[in-house]
Structure formats: C-alpha cells, structure tokens
Amino acid sequence: MGVEFAAEQGLLAESELAPVRQSHYPILEDLPREEVVDLARWLRGQHGRVRDIIRDRRRVRRGKAEPRGATPETPSERGLAAKKQVFARALKRVNARLSQISAAAKRAQAVAAMRAALHRKDTGSVHHPVGGQTAGQGMRALPHRKARPVVHGARIGSVSQAVRNAQAARDTRG
C-alpha cells in the first residue's frame, strides 16, 4: 500500500489528494453513507474529466480537432492516464464500500421484518373454527348407473366343475 500512496501523491494535485486518501481503508470504513456517496460522486466527476481531456488530446493528435489552449503541441497523456487509473481504483474502493453499506441496510431491514412477523405470529390469536358437537351427514352415496349382470343359477360353479372334470380325465390318461 505504501507504494500506491507514494504513486498517488506524485500524480495528484494537493486538492485531489485529500479525497483520494479518504477512499483508502481505515478512513473509508469510518465515513457515514452520505459522505461516501459524495466522495463517489466527486471521484466519478474527476475520472470523467480526466477521461475527456485524454480523449480530446488524442483527437488533436489525429487531426480530428483543434487544440485547446495556447500551445499547439499536445503533451503525452501518459501521466493523465495514470491519474485516471488512480481515480478509477479509488472509485472501485468507494463503490465496494457503498455496496457493503447497502447490503448491511438490507440485512437489517430483513431481520426487522422477520422479527415483526414473528411478533405478529406469537401475539396473534389462532383461528380454528369449532367443528360442532357431531359430524354432519357426510357424502351421499350415488346409485350405480351400470346394471349388474344377472347370472343364471345353473351356471354358477359350472366352470369350476368343468375344470375338475378335465383334470380328472388327464390324470386317468396319464
């Protein structure tokens, strides 16, 4: 981390250095949500500003636009690209912290909702309607629609007797 602090200090102006230092761990953890949001907004603006300057310099170098300012010679954007990366890394840290804050808020809200539901369940009266002293009549039996086949009395048992007779005939042949 020491190298990164030293590199940031060499790339950034004094006015830009203080907010970027706030994006590092110990300080960022102690900041309230509103200040973290403001810091993210400022870093996003600075990152966009440097990105636009780099884009304009490249357009001038390619001959697509006229140079701004007094010098027609456009300097290299190498230092600006490194500065842009410093803002991008700081913005990444701040966005991660914002997501931690919002996750903690969502978690606390969900826990509060679950506790409230449990409280409502514990204090609410149980609704079980009384069944009455006796059961009702129940379901009605439906009459059969298909008529039962009528088997003549002489036919009852005739199949069994025929099987017995056939088995006896096979046994005597055997």
Side-chain angles (χ1 to χ4, degrees), residues 31-100:
L31 291 178
R33 184 184 185 283
E34 295 78 27
E35 288 185 30
V36 175
V37 169
D38 291 340
L39 180 61
R41 192 172 293 128
W42 184 84
L43 287 169
R44 212 171 283 121
Q46 293 299 313
H47 181 264
R49 184 180 135 275
V50 173
R51 182 196 59 223
D52 291 344
I53 291 171
I54 292 172
R55 187 193 66 224
D56 290 343
R57 285 186 181 180
R58 286 181 183 164
R59 284 178 52 86
V60 167
R61 201 169 350 120
R62 287 183 308 194
K64 299 256 182 189
E66 293 297 319
R68 292 182 182 176
T71 60
E73 179 71 28
T74 59
S76 171
E77 65 266 356
R78 201 174 246 181
L80 280 175
K83 191 178 205 180
K84 183 177 121 180
Q85 289 302 313
V86 168
F87 288 133
R89 284 192 305 267
L91 190 58
K92 187 175 180 180
R93 288 188 298 267
V94 169
N95 285 338
R97 178 65 184 144
L98 277 175
S99 66
Q100 286 175 350

Side-chain angles (χ1 to χ4, degrees), residues 132-147:
Q133 289 187 6
T134 60
Q137 295 297 319
M139 296 177 63
R140 289 184 295 120
L142 294 176
H144 293 289
R145 293 193 179 136
K146 189 174 181 183

Side-chain angles (χ1 to χ4, degrees), residues 148-159:
R148 296 186 84 179
V150 178
V151 178
H152 195 270
R155 302 265 307 156
I156 295 174
S158 64
V159 173

